[in-house]
């Protein structure tokens, strides 16, 4: 619209100048007796001059008409047929509220608790997520919250380590940021709630309001315990993995196969500054990363039932089982944090994305899709989804138009596949390989992954491009994953490929396939990879 208006104004100016110039030239030449014409030509010259003037007037009229219609369309974005209810004010909900408000839409955001959240995940934003913040115009929320820059990872196995920095990507952002989750969400909410067309309400949403197969809004219980209603043309559910509204739209439920046990280490100097640290421990990975200039978050993945914190079993498990596997630079701060007693935990939810075509409603954020938090890709996917859906909705003048909204949903589910499926599959595949389970073929594959990183060059930059969300390409992920598997086969079969070693090599390939292929199906990526599939056309 801006380009069209500029072009029209330029054309109007051009015709006005031509008209004036033509008149001046004709009069001047006539006065100087340079222009000599026959008497019968004068009417034609007059009509030509008038035509030029009329053309200029017509372009001026069209310019004003176009400007008026553009203003009318912008104004209509705030009308009832373009109002939106957003349930939840976490990463996805607050960012979605802000993005829709920038389009001039009327937004009602309902959040059950407006106090600063206190969570143990959602604290590391990969470079791809930082880029999405910039795309949404929200980069300023990272300032003033003591958010260290993250430049990559260090991976440890059996006391050895390898550095895996984020690769440079020209002039684009190539570093991540880490922070206290609550400080980040507080700044994000401030940015969203400062928009004049965003109305914030605190309450617990109890149900969706439906009529004739269409969602018209939600009912919620406010701070006084009274039931209220919020109606809009579109309801976007961003109420997390434990969403109470998801069951109204899809039967899928999240699953958790492990928990993160969390500690905060004070004044701990990590061996690799400004980096996340991944310890390939037994029975599962351990993560360390800075969340402020003086604090380090520790996350211990714990499969199966959790030891009791109340009885002291958890502290004993951390002291006797986990601490001996840590680098010596980290161990003293870890033991001090365990002795302080503030040990927290949360389930690691996983939820495969499911297409939802419900008139008047959408799922977004963890209520729609979540993956194991090992790779820290959740916020990157959520912000990428917000950027994509807001871009698709920008051209929709009536959110109650079923055909337009179905087209938006179809494009959203198709266009999110490359980045979302890459990050989802990478998280699940790495967790499967990094966890020391009973399958003997996983142990050499985990070692092969570590040795692959030690090769450096593309063996590091390729996987880190994928992990960081800077270049989430599922084909590249497929190639790197099976290259690691083949590298593992090489290590177990050479220099002497005995029958036992060849059998182990076969088991490595079989295990790699059993991990990766089901994930392709879960993420609906197999049609995308097929060269003649409709998804790719």
């Amino acid at each position: 619209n801006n380009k069209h208006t500029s072009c029209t104004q330029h054309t109007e100016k051009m015709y006005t100048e031509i008209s004036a110039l033509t008149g001046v030239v004709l009069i001047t030449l006539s006065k100087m007796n340079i222009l000599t014409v026959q008497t019968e030509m004068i009417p034609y010259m007059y009509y030509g001059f008038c035509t030029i003037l009329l053309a200029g007037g017509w372009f001026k009229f069209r310019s004003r008409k176009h400007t008026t219609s553009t203003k009318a369309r912008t104004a209509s974005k705030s009308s009832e047929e373009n109002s939106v209810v957003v349930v939840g004010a976490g990463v996805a909900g607050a960012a979605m509220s802000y993005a829709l408000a920038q389009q001039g839409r009327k937004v009602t955001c309902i959040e059950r608790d407006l106090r600063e959240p206190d969570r143990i995940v959602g604290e590391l934003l990969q470079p791809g997520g930082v880029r999405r913040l910039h795309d949404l115009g929200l980069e300023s929320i990272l300032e003033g919250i003591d958010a260290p820059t993250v430049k990559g990872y260090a991976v440890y196995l059996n006391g050895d380590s390898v550095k895996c920095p984020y690769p440079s990507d020209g002039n684009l952002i190539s570093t991540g940021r880490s922070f206290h989750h609550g400080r980040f969400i507080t700044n994000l909410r401030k940015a969203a709630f400062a928009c004049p067309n965003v109305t914030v309400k605190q309450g617990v949403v109890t149900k969706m309001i439906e009529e004739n197969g269409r969602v018209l809004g939600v009912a919620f219980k406010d701070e006084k315990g009274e039931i209220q209603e919020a109606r809009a043309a579109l309801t976007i559910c961003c109420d997390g993995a434990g969403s109470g509204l998801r069951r109204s739209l899809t039967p899928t439920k999240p699953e958790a196969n492990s928990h993160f046990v969390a500690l905060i280490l004070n004044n701990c100097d990590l061996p690799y500054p400004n980096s996340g640290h991944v310890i390939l421990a037994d029975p599962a990975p351990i993560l360390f990363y800075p969340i402020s200039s003086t604090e380090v978050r520790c996350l211990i993945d714990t499969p199966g039932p959790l030891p009791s914190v109340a009885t002291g079993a958890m502290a004993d498990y951390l002291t006797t089982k986990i601490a001996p596997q840590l680098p010596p630079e980290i161990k003293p701060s870890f033991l001090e944090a365990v002795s302080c007693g503030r040990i927290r935990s949360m389930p690691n939810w996983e939820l495969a994305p499911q297409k939802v075509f419900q008139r008047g409603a959408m799922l977004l954020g963890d209520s729609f899709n979540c993956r194991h938090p090992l790779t820290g890709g959740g916020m990157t996917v959520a912000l990428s989804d917000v950027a994509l859906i807001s871009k698709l909705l920008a051209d929709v003048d009536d959110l109650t138009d079923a055909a337009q909204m179905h087209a938006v949903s179809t494009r959203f589910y198709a266009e999110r596949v490359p980045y979302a499926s890459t990050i989802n599959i990478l998280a699940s595949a790495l967790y499967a390989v990094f966890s020391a389970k009973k399958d003997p073929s996983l142990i050499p594959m985990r070692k092969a992954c570590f040795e692959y990183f030690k090769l450096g060059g593309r063996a590091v930059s390729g996987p880190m491009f994928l992990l960081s969300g800077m270049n989430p390409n599922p084909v590249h992920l497929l190639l790197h994953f099976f290259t690691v598997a083949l590298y593992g086969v090489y290590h177990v079969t050479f220099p002497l490929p005995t029958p036992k070693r060849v059998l182990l090599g076969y088991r490595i390939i079989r295990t790699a396939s059993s991990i990766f292929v089901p994930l392709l199906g879960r993420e609906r990526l197999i049609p995308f990879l097929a060269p003649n599939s409709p998804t790719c056309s």
Side-chain angles (χ1 to χ4, degrees):
N1 290 341
N2 292 336
K3 290 182 179 179
H4 187 281
T5 303
S6 176
C7 181
T8 306
Q9 292 173 345
H10 176 73
T11 308
E12 174 192 343
K13 182 180 178 181
M14 179 184 71
Y15 268 90
T16 303
E17 291 175 350
I18 290 174
S19 301
L21 182 61
T22 303
V24 171
V25 170
L26 289 174
I27 294 172
T28 303
L29 294 178
S30 298
K31 291 291 184 181
M32 297 175 63
N33 295 321
I34 295 176
L35 181 64
T36 58
V37 296
Q38 296 180 359
T39 304
E40 59 269 20
M41 292 295 295
I42 293 177
Y44 293 104
M45 294 174 60
Y46 173 76
Y47 291 135
F49 179 61
C50 290
T51 300
I52 293 174
L53 289 175
L54 287 173
W58 179 77
F59 269 93
K60 187 173 183 179
F61 169 76
R62 284 297 301 274
S63 173
R64 289 178 177 176
K65 182 178 179 181
H66 176 77
T67 303
T68 303
S69 64
T70 301
K71 290 180 179 178
R73 284 198 300 272
T74 302
S76 71
K77 288 287 181 68
S78 61
S79 61
E80 290 303 318
E81 63 268 20
N82 281 291
S83 59
V84 181
V85 167
V86 177
V87 180
V91 176
M96 191 78 255
S97 298
Y98 178 86
L100 293 175
Q102 299 308 301
Q103 296 178 6
R105 300 188 190 277
K106 180 181 177 182
V107 180
T108 300
C109 184
I110 305 172
E111 166 59 37
R112 66 184 303 156
D113 189 353
L114 290 170
R115 293 174 298 179
E116 181 172 300
D118 184 15
R119 294 187 61 191
I120 64 172
V121 293
E123 299 170 319
L124 195 155
L125 186 62
Q126 300 285 5
V130 178
R131 290 183 184 182
R132 297 295 82 75
L133 279 182
H134 279 255
D135 294 342
L136 292 166
L138 287 166
E139 65 274 11
S140 62
I141 69 171
L142 292 170
E143 305 308 321
I145 59 173
D146 191 10
T149 298
V150 179
K151 299 180 180 180
Y153 283 82
V155 183
Y156 283 76
L157 178 63
N158 299 328
D160 195 6
S161 67
V162 58
K163 187 176 181 180
C164 300
Y166 295 132
S168 177
D169 194 14
N171 295 325
L172 299 177
I173 296 170
S174 300
T175 55
R177 300 289 290 273
S178 54
F179 36 71
H180 279 271
H181 177 81
R183 298 173 187 173
F184 175 77
I185 292 297
T186 297
N187 270 10
L188 181 56
R189 288 176 178 175
K190 285 179 181 179
F193 300 165
C195 300
N197 45 335
V198 173
T199 301
V200 186
K201 296 185 179 182
Q202 182 166 319
V204 178
V205 174
T206 56
K207 66 176 182 179
M208 285 185 173
I209 302 170
E210 296 186 51
E211 186 177 307
N212 298 325
R214 178 180 179 81
V215 175
L216 302 177
V218 295
F220 66 97
K221 187 179 292 186
D222 65 14
E223 297 173 270
K224 298 179 181 179
E226 299 177 356
I227 299 297
Q228 305 287 345
E229 289 187 354
R231 293 178 176 249
L234 177 62
T235 300
I236 303 179
C237 305
C238 308
D239 50 341
S243 171
L245 299 178
R246 182 177 50 245
R247 63 176 177 268
S248 301
L249 302 174
T250 175
T252 57
K253 296 180 180 180
E255 297 180 354
N257 296 316
S258 69
H259 289 73
F260 263 155
V261 175
L263 298 166
I264 290 183
L265 283 55
N266 291 303
N267 300 311
C268 174
D269 294 326
L270 292 172
Y272 294 87
N274 298 104
S275 299
H277 291 58
V278 183
I279 317 299
L280 303 185
D282 178 21
I286 305 168
L287 301 179
F288 293 91
Y289 52 87
I291 56 173
S292 75
S293 55
T294 60
E295 297 164 300
V296 170
R297 169 68 74 193
C298 171
L299 296 173
I300 304 104
D301 188 88
T302 309
L306 286 175
S308 171
V309 174
T311 62
M314 177 64 79
D316 183 64
Y317 171 77
L318 296 176
T319 302
T320 60
K321 176 71 174 178
I322 301 301
Q325 301 183 70
L326 301 181
E329 300 95 330
I330 298 176
K331 191 182 299 183
S333 298
F334 177 83
L335 293 173
E336 182 181 350
V338 172
S339 65
C340 289
R342 191 164 190 259
I343 305 172
R344 304 171 63 190
S345 65
M346 66 163 288
N348 293 323
W349 295 111
E350 296 186 57
L351 177 65
Q354 296 293 327
K355 296 179 181 179
V356 175
F357 294 99
Q358 168 65 55
R359 292 178 60 198
M362 296 185 72
L363 287 171
L364 210 62
D366 283 353
S367 65
F368 169 55
N369 177 209
C370 50
R371 75 291 309 146
H372 194 285
L374 172 67
T375 57
M379 291 189 291
T380 298
V381 173
L383 292 170
S384 298
D385 282 348
V386 168
L388 175 58
I389 198 67
S390 60
K391 181 186 75 171
L392 296 175
L393 288 175
D395 295 328
V396 178
D397 292 327
D398 184 358
L399 297 178
T400 62
D401 187 318
Q404 286 193 75
M405 292 305 297
H406 189 275
V408 165
S409 297
T410 301
R411 285 190 60 188
F412 170 66
Y413 295 132
E415 293 181 20
R416 77 182 297 273
V417 166
Y419 64 79
S421 63
T422 300
I423 294 172
N424 292 343
I425 292 174
L426 181 63
S428 297
L430 276 183
Y431 179 70
V433 173
F434 285 176
S435 299
K437 297 182 179 179
K438 298 298 183 181
D439 190 336
S441 61
L442 279 174
I443 297 175
M445 190 166 176
R446 182 175 69 170
K447 180 174 175 58
C449 186
F450 182 78
E451 295 296 331
Y452 185 70
F453 290 150
K454 293 183 74 173
L455 294 175
R458 291 185 179 180
V460 170
S461 63
M464 292 306 291
F465 262 126
L466 299 170
L467 180 90
S468 65
M470 291 191 286
N471 182 26
N473 188 311
V475 176
H476 291 174
L477 173 59
L478 179 71
L479 293 174
H480 280 287
F481 186 80
F482 281 98
T483 299
V484 169
L486 292 173
Y487 196 60
V489 172
Y490 167 78
H491 272 277
V492 299
T493 56
F494 288 93
L496 184 61
T498 64
K500 183 178 180 179
R501 290 183 174 185
V502 170
L503 179 60
L504 182 55
Y506 163 75
R507 287 176 177 172
I508 289 175
I509 296 297
R510 186 186 64 182
T511 302
S513 300
S514 68
I515 291 172
F516 205 87
V517 175
L519 294 174
L520 294 179
R522 188 190 75 178
E523 296 295 326
R524 303 178 184 274
L525 194 56
I526 293 176
F528 180 85
L529 295 174
N532 296 321
S533 68
T535 311
C536 295
S537 58

